[in-house]
Amino acid sequence: MARVAGRAGARPRGDRVAVSGLVAVRTLLGRLRAEWSLAATVAGVALVTAFVFAAAPRLLNAVSRDGLRYAVTNAAVYQRNLVMAQGERLPASAGSDPLAAVDAAGASLQASLPTALRSVIARRTYVVDAVRYTFPQASSGGAPTRHVTFRYQSGVTSHIKLVAGRMPAPTTATVMPTTAPRTPVPIIEVAMSQATAQTLGLTLNQPVVLEPDFQDNLIGRGNVPNQVAVDVVGYIQILDPNADYWYADSSLQTPSVYDDGNTTEIYGTGLFAPQAYADVLKDTNPAMVEYSWRFYVAPSRFTAEGFGPLQNDVKRLDATYGSAFTTGPTDLTATTGLGDIFSQYAGQRRLTESILSLAVIGLLAVALAVIGLVGAFVAERRREAYALVRGRGGSTAQVLGAQAAEAALLGIPAVLLGYLAALLAVHAEPTIWSPGLALGIALATVVLTVGATLPYARRGLQALERDEVRRDRFSPRRAAFEVFVVALAAAGIYLLRRRGLAGDSATAQAGGFDPYLAAVPILLGLAVGLVTLRLYVLPIRLLAWWAATRRDLVLFLGLRRVSRQSLVTSVPLLVLLLAVAISVFSSVMLHTIDVGQVETSWQLVGAPFRVDAYAGATLDPTLDLSKVPGVTATASALNETAVIAASGSLPGGLVTLFAVQTSAYEKVTAGSPVDPHFSGALLAAPTGPGVGTGSLPIPAIVSSESPLGRPMTVGETFGINLHNQTVTFVVDQVRDSFPALSSVSGPFVVTSLDALHAALPGYATERTNLYVRAPDTAGPALNRAMNAQYAAAILTSRAAEYASVHDSPLIAGAVSGFQIGVAVAALYSVLAVVVALALTGRARARDVAYLRTLGLSPRQVLGLIAAEQAPPVVVALVVGTALGVGIIRLIAPALDFTAFTGPNVPVVVVIDWPTVVLLGVGLVVVVAVAVAATSALTERTSLSGVLRMGDR
């Protein structure tokens, strides 16, 4: 009965479990409060690691978003926007806006666009181009053929100003032609730029009868319009020719002149009044009118998350209207360069992710190793507690369970705080990688801490109480693992060099990166580190044997301690080695990219500034920029494709002929990376009668790649056909490349422009490029000078070319990633040094205490600690530096540096030794400070407390 009553009065099992849990938590919290330094160390490392690796994916997302917007913003206006065009005859609307039907058609087209594409369009304009007309051809022939297009563009009045006359208006006036048939011809009033009117031979208020241009595809069978007369009633000036509104179309500003050597064609555009649209339709009937609707995108609406659907919409649009070049005038066409922009951006983003993955995976490995070191440090400090628990009958499972609970209690809140800090610090679109990596860091903290406790939990109670230094025996499993890592790294290097960083896996094809190939550098580092751990003890033992012959014991004792370290206490060497390797690798990548960007910008431009004629045209002979403030030298050049022939043989093929004013170009490029270093023969090129003939050939530099089927040799003569004349040259030098021709593929010939003009007197003013030496800030002044001279040309700045690559968010993000990698690797190096000293602190304190009783001085204590720390630091510096340089040398063929430096110019790996040395010095300083601090703390330790440690 008493037994029944006792059982009835017992506490329920659920209550007992709850009470036991509360007691366990209270005990755990009490232990953490008593050992707050240990708790702070574990939580701090977990927090920092979680912050770094939770912020990294968000930072990449932000960089990707900014990179997409940058790519769109900096693309040409006709590339980033969309034009839809169609030839038809939309009726004039009644009321104040005769072109309302045209605007409504544009709104309808915009509404029909795919959702993702429509969401990025901010505004639209339209352009109305009537059928092209031509001036009656003179009977004598030889005169240029002149053409006029009647145009209206929505919103044009706010982008132009009237400089003479008046704006056009509707008119019913007619003019009587001087030739048959003598029937009244309707007049269309227009406004033109003064340059266009002068080139076409038109003057104010002097109507000229025009004929339809039958080369215009708006004129089909049976719809030939009648004659019209053009009357220029006002001169206009474009306010900002570079504004997006003009869509890089200079038709209203300057006429287009095309000269193929046989005929000259001049094309001009006149602006008609919007109220005259009905008259234009009637006067050009029945020809078609071309309507172009321009849809302007807003870069701020582009997001990394919406990139995929937007790219698919653009691909479908291109596929639907892909036959734009073969359609008739009445078919709807769509033209945009967004597809090419997206393709280049996607490739750049993939390369950025791939390159950064090398550093991120390496840092992750180092971070996990540091967490493991901290776990080992915690286990070492808990040795007495483990011995007490084991002595009172505690099992291995209980020891490990308590440690897992403690690690979870410390790690999970710290990781959560790190993740929240990453969310606040990096404003970007969400990504699953951030919480995933944070969760992984939390699990790693628990697993690695428990793993570091396992050897202590399984060790015999007697060995645990003696606090002995246990040397690890040979482990077949460890040996097999190390051999596996080495084999994996070797196979990865082979695949990486053969297939490239992205590889050809399904992930790579989908636009990501191959994780295995991205992990190859850290696998190689881990393999080298494991081999180093195996081998470096041997020379240390030899040094210890040598030190034993010396009178003093400090060096011997320090080296002996290093040679007897266990695997756990040797891990700091591996962490330091990997951290140094990652720092060196990142610094080499940074320096290579920076040098490559500067070199590429010079190679692509060929001078501080370059002025280029539009494709198929030449520069205005009167263009002169030498008087612009800041300009110190200019050099003209001619760049065109020509046919080359060896002396006495059939034509050998096409070459790029680059004729430049050699002496002037030397002055433009003096002291720059593109200084051509012309020979005396090229600088003093021949002039006068007979230049360019067999008796007086023009010296030239030829490429090692020859279209003749064989290499050309110095002293060999060859001919080039120019303007139906053969000019003879002689090979002065053979080069693999030439500045300013880096973007040219195929063979080239470089010669003197002055000599070429002497050989072709009829084309003595022909040039396609103008190279200018001026400060980087002279760009606006050069643009103003070109606009003032009505020069239809393109100005390219070396500084702007460099900035376009250097400031690109994806490229700048990769550079920032490597900079952060260096900083984080340095941080983990410091942690590794501190933890390494703390990990062996108990045994060191015991040895130093014994030695202090024998008269060991404070200076000798410092020397003992320094002798203990010097070997792993030196090995880590030497092997880590060699490893960092070796990794980038090994994988350089798999890295596409041109994606970060600019196209077409190969980039070689450049090692910044001063930075590498600075990194090494920094690590030595950190170790020296840590050694000094440890020595000071050791000196303050109570001898009685240390010497009684084993008796408690």
Side-chain angles (χ1 to χ4, degrees):
M1 193 62 133
R3 182 179 302 173
V4 172
R7 181 170 297 177
R11 182 173 295 173
R13 179 179 179 84
D15 293 345
R16 293 201 306 271
V17 171
V19 171
S20 300
L22 290 175
V23 171
V25 171
R26 181 179 177 182
T27 303
L28 185 60
L29 291 175
R31 186 167 70 176
L32 293 178
R33 185 170 58 253
E35 300 176 341
W36 63 269
S37 59
L38 282 180
T41 302
V42 174
V45 172
L47 188 150
V48 171
T49 304
F51 171 77
V52 170
F53 291 99
R58 294 180 59 83
L59 185 62
L60 182 59
N61 251 15
V63 167
S64 298
R65 176 200 62 210
D66 296 341
L68 177 59
R69 294 176 179 176
Y70 183 87
V72 173
T73 301
N74 288 273
V77 63
Y78 54 84
Q79 289 181 311
R80 66 174 177 266
N81 298 310
L82 168 67
V83 172
M84 303 188 76
Q86 188 172 24
E88 56 177 307
R89 295 181 60 84
L90 294 176
S93 303
S96 59
D97 186 7
L99 291 157
V102 179
D103 187 47
S108 177
L109 287 175
Q110 182 172 344
S112 68
L113 293 174
T115 304
L117 181 57
R118 189 171 63 250
S119 66
V120 299
I121 293 176
R123 60 189 178 91
R124 70 177 183 275
T125 61
Y126 60 82
V127 177
V128 179
D129 283 327
V131 62
R132 188 170 60 240
Y133 282 81
T134 184
F135 286 69
Q137 191 67 22
S139 58
S140 60
T145 304
R146 298 169 293 166
H147 309 271
V148 174
T149 298
F150 298 100
R151 166 176 294 185
Y152 178 73
Q153 190 166 340
S154 60
V156 71
T157 54
S158 60
H159 295 275
I160 59 175
K161 71 175 181 179
L162 186 68
V163 295
R166 61 176 175 84
M167 293 299 292
T171 180
T172 58
T174 60
V175 64
M176 187 67 67
T178 58
T179 59
R182 294 182 59 81
T183 57
V185 175
I187 294 176
I188 299 178
E189 291 187 354
V190 299
M192 281 185 177
S193 70
Q194 191 169 0
T196 300
Q198 290 175 351
T199 305
L200 293 174
L202 296 173
T203 56
L204 287 177
N205 303 312
Q206 296 293 324
V208 176
V209 177
L210 306 176
E211 298 174 348
D213 185 352
F214 293 98
Q215 300 300 318
D216 192 337
N217 62 359
L218 294 176
I219 299 178
R221 294 182 180 178
N223 62 351
V224 178
N226 296 320
Q227 292 178 322
V228 298
V230 59
D231 186 8
V232 180
V233 297
Y235 291 147
I236 57 174
Q237 182 178 338
I238 307 301
L239 295 178
D240 182 7
N242 298 317
D244 286 355
Y245 170 83
W246 295 109
Y247 221 79
D249 183 355
S250 59
S251 301
L252 277 175
Q253 180 188 18
T254 56
S256 299
V257 180
Y258 296 94
D259 186 355
D260 60 3
N262 297 316
T263 60
T264 302
E265 304 277 342
I266 302 175
Y267 297 87
T269 302
L271 182 70
F272 66 84
Q275 290 77 16
Y277 173 61
D279 295 337
V280 171
L281 283 177
K282 179 182 64 175
D283 296 340
T284 60
N285 186 56
M288 294 290 104
V289 176
E290 183 178 38
Y291 302 92
S292 301
W293 293 274
R294 297 171 177 174
F295 301 96
Y296 297 84
V297 301
S300 60
R301 298 186 183 182
F302 287 77
T303 63
E305 184 180 19
F307 172 69
L310 183 58
Q311 186 179 33
N312 292 333
D313 283 354
V314 172
K315 287 181 178 179
R316 283 193 293 267
L317 188 72
D318 288 340
T320 303
Y321 301 99
S323 58
F325 293 104
T326 60
T327 56
T330 59
D331 293 328
L332 181 65
T333 63
T335 306
T336 180
L338 282 174
D340 294 334
I341 295 173
F342 290 164
S343 178
Q344 294 173 5
Y345 161 76
Q348 179 71 68
R349 185 178 69 176
R350 181 172 61 86
L351 285 170
T352 300
E353 292 174 351
S354 301
I355 293 289
L356 286 179
S357 67
L358 299 174
V360 170
I361 292 178
L363 287 175
L364 183 59
V366 172
L368 294 178
V370 170
I371 292 175
L373 270 180
V374 173
F377 170 60
V378 172
E380 177 68 20
R381 291 288 297 270
R382 292 279 169 77
R383 182 192 294 269
E384 293 181 9
Y386 298 153
L388 181 62
V389 171
R390 294 285 302 282
R392 294 180 178 180
S395 65
T396 300
Q398 289 176 318
V399 173
L400 296 179
Q403 193 60 59
E406 179 183 333
L409 187 61
L410 290 174
I412 292 177
V415 166
L416 182 60
L417 287 176
Y419 174 67
L420 293 176
L423 295 183
L424 295 174
V426 183
H427 301 282
E429 299 167 10
T431 170
I432 191 62
W433 282 101
S434 286
L437 285 173
L439 178 62
I441 296 299
L443 292 176
T445 302
V446 175
V447 171
L448 291 173
T449 304
V450 172
T453 307
L454 184 60
Y456 297 91
R458 297 176 59 183
R459 188 176 300 180
L461 181 60
Q462 187 176 5
L464 197 62
E465 290 176 341
R466 281 202 307 265
D467 195 19
E468 64 180 11
V469 178
R470 188 173 64 90
R471 293 171 59 183
D472 297 301
R473 298 178 180 178
F474 174 77
S475 170
R477 292 182 179 178
R478 177 188 169 192
F481 171 75
E482 292 173 354
V483 171
F484 174 71
V485 171
V486 172
L488 205 60
I493 289 293
Y494 170 76
L495 292 176
L496 191 61
R497 290 176 64 90
R498 181 169 181 173
R499 293 160 49 186
L501 182 57
D504 52 11
S505 66
T507 301
Q509 295 298 324
F513 62 92
D514 191 312
Y516 170 56
L517 295 181
V520 165
I522 195 61
L523 285 174
L524 180 60
L526 184 59
V528 172
L530 292 174
V531 172
T532 302
L533 285 180
R534 284 285 186 181
L535 299 179
Y536 102 107
V537 175
L538 299 178
I540 296 300
R541 289 176 180 173
L542 289 176
L543 288 175
W545 173 79
W546 168 78
T549 63
R550 294 166 53 92
R551 288 187 175 183
D552 61 297
L553 292 177
V554 173
L555 183 61
F556 166 72
L557 291 175
L559 294 175
R560 181 174 176 273
R561 284 185 54 80
V562 174
S563 65
R564 298 186 63 205
Q565 283 181 344
S566 65
L567 174 63
V568 172
T569 52
S570 298
V571 170
L573 168 62
L574 181 61
V575 177
L576 279 178
L577 189 151
L578 293 177
V580 170
I582 291 173
S583 298
V584 172
F585 173 83
S586 299
S587 68
V588 173
M589 289 288 293
L590 284 170
H591 190 62
T592 298
I593 290 174
D594 185 56
V595 171
Q597 287 174 348
V598 174
E599 292 285 342
T600 299
S601 65
W602 278 103
Q603 293 288 336
L604 289 176
V605 180
F609 292 93
R610 187 185 70 232
V611 180
D612 300 321
Y614 287 101
T618 58
L619 288 178
D620 189 333
T622 63
L623 176 62
D624 182 13
L625 300 178
S626 61
K627 295 180 174 57
V628 175
V631 173
T632 57
T634 62
S636 297
L638 175 66
N639 191 330
E640 64 178 28
T641 301
V643 177
I644 185 175
S647 180
S649 67
L650 295 174
L654 296 177
V655 296
T656 297
L657 174 65
F658 182 71
V660 64
Q661 292 176 314
T662 52
S663 297
Y665 190 62
E666 284 268 3
K667 296 177 182 178
V668 170
T669 60
S672 73
V674 290
D675 191 332
H677 301 291
F678 287 122
S679 66
L682 280 161
L683 292 174
T687 58
V691 173
T693 64
S695 60
L696 194 56
I698 302 174
I701 299 172
V702 299
S703 59
S704 54
E705 179 185 354
S706 172
L708 302 178
R710 58 174 177 78
M712 301 182 72
T713 59
V714 175
E716 179 180 353
T717 59
F718 60 92
I720 292 182
N721 187 280
L722 297 168
H723 300 295
N724 298 321
Q725 299 181 47
T726 299
V727 182
T728 303
F729 298 86
V730 60
V731 178
D732 181 69
Q733 295 178 27
V734 179
R735 296 188 186 181
D736 294 329
S737 61
F738 188 81
L741 294 180
S742 58
S743 59
V744 174
S745 59
F748 60 81
V749 173
V750 179
T751 190
S752 167
L753 181 63
D754 295 327
L756 188 63
H757 283 168
L760 300 170
Y763 302 93
T765 60
E766 193 174 82
R767 57 179 180 168
T768 56
N769 310 96
L770 180 64
Y771 293 91
V772 181
R773 184 184 185 99
D776 294 339
T777 56
L782 291 171
N783 264 319
R784 287 193 297 270
M786 291 169 59
N787 291 333
Q789 299 179 51
Y790 297 100
I794 304 169
L795 178 67
T796 303
S797 165
R798 200 283 313 171
E801 195 72 26
Y802 169 78
S804 68
V805 177
H806 181 268
D807 297 341
S808 170
L810 281 175
I811 297 175
V815 172
S816 299
F818 285 116
Q819 292 172 339
I820 294 173
V822 172
V824 173
L827 173 63
Y828 283 126
S829 297
V830 174
L831 287 174
V833 170
V834 173
V835 174
L837 288 168
L839 191 60
T840 56
R842 181 188 298 269
R844 184 187 306 107
R846 180 194 58 208
D847 293 347
V848 169
Y850 286 129
L851 293 172
R852 284 172 63 190
T853 61
L854 300 177
L856 190 72
S857 67
R859 182 176 180 181
Q860 289 175 318
V861 172
L862 180 63
L864 178 63
I865 300 175
E868 180 184 341
Q869 296 302 314
V873 171
V874 171
V875 170
L877 280 176
V878 174
V879 179
T881 301
L883 181 61
V885 174
I887 286 174
I888 200 168
R889 292 287 190 190
L890 282 172
I891 69 174
L895 302 177
D896 184 12
F897 286 109
T898 60
F900 301 94
T901 59
N904 303 318
V905 180
V907 177
V908 297
V909 174
V910 183
I911 300 174
D912 185 12
W913 288 112
T915 301
V916 173
V917 171
L918 184 62
L919 290 173
V921 171
L923 179 60
V924 171
V925 170
V926 169
V927 173
V929 172
V931 167
T934 303
S935 175
L937 291 174
T938 304
E939 282 295 314
R940 295 180 181 180
T941 304
S942 170
L943 286 178
S944 59
V946 172
L947 294 176
R948 288 201 305 268
M949 262 194 314
D951 299 332
R952 286 181 294 189

